[in-house]
Amino acid sequence: MTFLPYLVVVWLVVVSLYGMVTSRNLIHLIMCLAVMQSSTYVLLLALGFRTGGTAPIFQDIDVGTRAVDPVVQALMLTDVVVEATVMALLLAMTVQVHKHTGTLDPDQLRALKG
């Protein structure tokens, strides 16, 4: 068992959190969120990977053959679709914010609160 994928996940989360906290631009903030979301891909791949495992297609293979976990792969595909949807929605909202306020700085947007 290797811990490298888990270290990569932790590094991606820490780097993206730092970027989100220090961001002064909404697009940069959204990209940092995308990087954080990408860390879940690495985590799911690490959880589903089995050394020597085959693809989870159970035709013409011996009983007891090791296979990778197909549920984790399905979760990762779902994660990709959800991330694409969330990114598209957030970027569309950012465009609308820029049209109405002329800025993408989150600090300047606080003045818009009623």
Side-chain angles (χ1 to χ4, degrees):
M1 180 172 181
T2 179
F3 292 101
L4 181 62
Y6 302 108
L7 291 176
V8 171
V9 168
V10 170
W11 181 77
L12 285 173
V13 168
V14 168
V15 167
S16 61
L17 273 177
Y18 176 76
M20 289 172 66
V21 169
T22 61
S23 177
R24 295 290 172 247
N25 188 312
L26 289 178
I27 294 176
H28 181 260
L29 195 141
I30 292 169
M31 292 301 113
C32 289
L33 182 66
V35 170
M36 181 180 285
Q37 181 74 25
S38 299
S39 69
T40 61
Y41 304 155
V42 178
L43 178 65
L44 289 173
L45 285 173
L47 290 175
F49 180 76
R50 292 187 184 183
T51 303
T54 62
I57 301 170
F58 298 109
Q59 286 184 331
D60 301 330
I61 62 172
D62 299 329
V63 175
T65 302
R66 294 183 65 150
V68 295
D69 191 359
V71 174
V72 177
Q73 293 175 2
L75 284 174
M76 195 178 90
L77 288 175
T78 304
D79 196 14
V80 169
V81 172
V82 169
E83 181 190 9
T85 305
V86 169
M87 291 299 122
L89 180 65
L90 288 175
L91 289 173
M93 291 173 63
T94 302
V95 168
Q96 293 301 317
V97 165
H98 188 263
K99 281 183 182 176
H100 291 286
T101 63
T103 183
L104 292 176
D105 188 358
D107 290 336
Q108 293 178 358
L109 295 176
R110 290 184 181 149
L112 297 177
K113 289 184 179 178

